Amino acid sequence: MSSQDEPQQWTYLMDMDGVLVHEDHLIPGADAFLAELQSNDIPFIVLTNNSIRTPRDLRARLERSGLNIPEKSIWTSALATANFLGNQRPGGSAYVVGESGLTTALHDIGYVLTDSSPDYVVLGETRTYSFEAITTAIRLVEKGARFIATNPDATGPSREGSLPATGSVAALITKATGKEPYYVGKPNALMMRSALRAIGGHSESTLMIGDRMDTDVLSGLEAGLQTILVLTGISTTVSVENYPYRPTKVINSVADLVGRTQSPF
């Protein structure tokens, strides 16, 4: 901790959807907030439970929304999953149900992707779940492959409404096999700790900004971080009261932090 004469240097972790963007639309003030972090050399990393895109693809998507975020400042549940598996079983093999964000992350740690006696079945997000791929995953789990899922989110957003997400498909595989997956993404504090390691941050001087009590605030709390809930996404001032834990602070949006990023509390 810093002395009383010096303001504490914070490190920022933040969710992406509902905090910085809605689908592909900028949340007002998010650009000014990030610009202030960058101009003050405040370390930050953007987290997402979505495993579809690589950090490079996400950077391009955010750039189209008007946000300039370098690849190294983006941490996905796919990267966290690859990081976890690389530590657990270096040079292993996996059958993947997911898209390029997940397959690229696993290739990058030297994993072989195969449907022949893999060490793991790894389930991630995809907009085109294949019945054939899910059937293969079920049979491999039945034969002893360890079941990993990138995140437990049951639904994801789209312009037309909710989409079934990783947690829903994981439930289908669990129902068929009797095997529960190990979820790496939020609210598992493992996701936050791996992001902290990636950025060289420390829990006592890091805060987590999110729009969901059940993932963002919970994982921040369990990782020993200060937490800020924004009301630009899922949770509301009413729904906050339904949980047995509270964020350190509730604000309307990240725009409220402009001018206060060095002393957010």
Side-chain angles (χ1 to χ4, degrees):
M1 297 289 283
S2 302
S3 72
Q4 289 184 336
D5 298 323
E6 300 173 9
Q8 177 165 307
Q9 170 71 62
W10 288 97
T11 297
Y12 279 70
L13 304 185
M14 67 196 79
D15 188 34
M16 187 172 73
D17 289 299
V19 175
L20 302 176
V21 291
H22 265 311
E23 287 290 302
D24 291 320
H25 300 286
L26 176 76
I27 287 175
D31 48 353
F33 164 66
L34 287 173
E36 185 173 309
L37 292 180
Q38 289 165 327
S39 66
N40 288 321
D41 292 322
I42 296 173
F44 73 91
I45 201 159
V46 176
L47 300 164
T48 177
N49 255 0
N50 194 307
S51 64
I52 289 178
R53 297 179 177 90
T54 65
R56 183 178 299 173
D57 295 337
L58 284 171
R59 171 177 164 65
R61 175 195 167 196
L62 291 164
E63 204 162 32
R64 287 193 297 273
S65 302
L67 295 174
N68 180 26
I69 299 173
E71 275 182 59
K72 66 180 175 59
S73 297
I74 298 171
W75 191 250
T76 69
S77 63
L79 291 176
T81 299
N83 187 70
F84 170 72
L85 292 180
N87 288 328
Q88 287 278 306
R89 189 178 288 264
S93 60
Y95 177 73
V96 176
V97 181
E99 297 197 19
S100 62
L102 185 55
T103 56
T104 301
L106 289 169
H107 271 143
D108 285 350
I109 61 158
Y111 258 54
V112 172
L113 304 189
T114 178
D115 60 1
S116 177
S117 302
D119 298 315
Y120 298 98
V121 164
V122 184
L123 174 68
E125 214 80 64
T126 170
R127 293 286 163 91
T128 54
Y129 283 112
S130 146
F131 185 76
E132 184 182 353
I134 291 168
T135 301
T136 300
I138 286 168
R139 290 172 180 166
L140 291 171
V141 170
E142 285 176 334
K143 289 176 182 174
R146 301 152 189 86
F147 185 18
I148 302 287
T150 56
N151 70 85
D153 299 37
T155 59
S158 78
R159 291 207 174 99
E160 293 77 37
S162 293
L163 292 169
T166 307
S168 293
V169 181
L172 187 160
I173 295 172
T174 295
K175 189 73 173 176
T177 62
K179 299 285 176 62
E180 293 278 352
Y182 180 71
Y183 291 108
V184 177
K186 297 176 293 181
N188 189 340
L190 189 72
M191 172 106 168
M192 320 301 273
R193 293 196 187 103
S194 61
L196 277 177
R197 278 196 296 275
I199 202 173
H202 301 283
S203 58
E204 61 273 12
S205 57
T206 300
L207 61 87
M208 171 65 193
I209 306 172
D211 69 306
R212 292 184 66 136
M213 288 291 289
D214 56 347
T215 54
D216 304 320
V217 171
L218 180 58
S219 55
L221 190 72
E222 292 189 343
L225 315 181
Q226 301 294 306
T227 56
I228 294 179
L229 179 77
V230 292
L231 301 176
T232 45
I234 300 293
S235 292
T236 65
T237 47
V238 174
S239 68
V240 168
E241 301 304 324
N242 296 331
Y243 293 87
Y245 50 87
R246 293 188 63 80
T248 313
K249 189 174 187 176
V250 179
I251 60 176
N252 289 319
S253 82
V254 288
D256 294 349
L257 291 169
V258 175
R260 304 189 55 193
T261 51
Q262 291 177 307
S263 54
F265 300 108

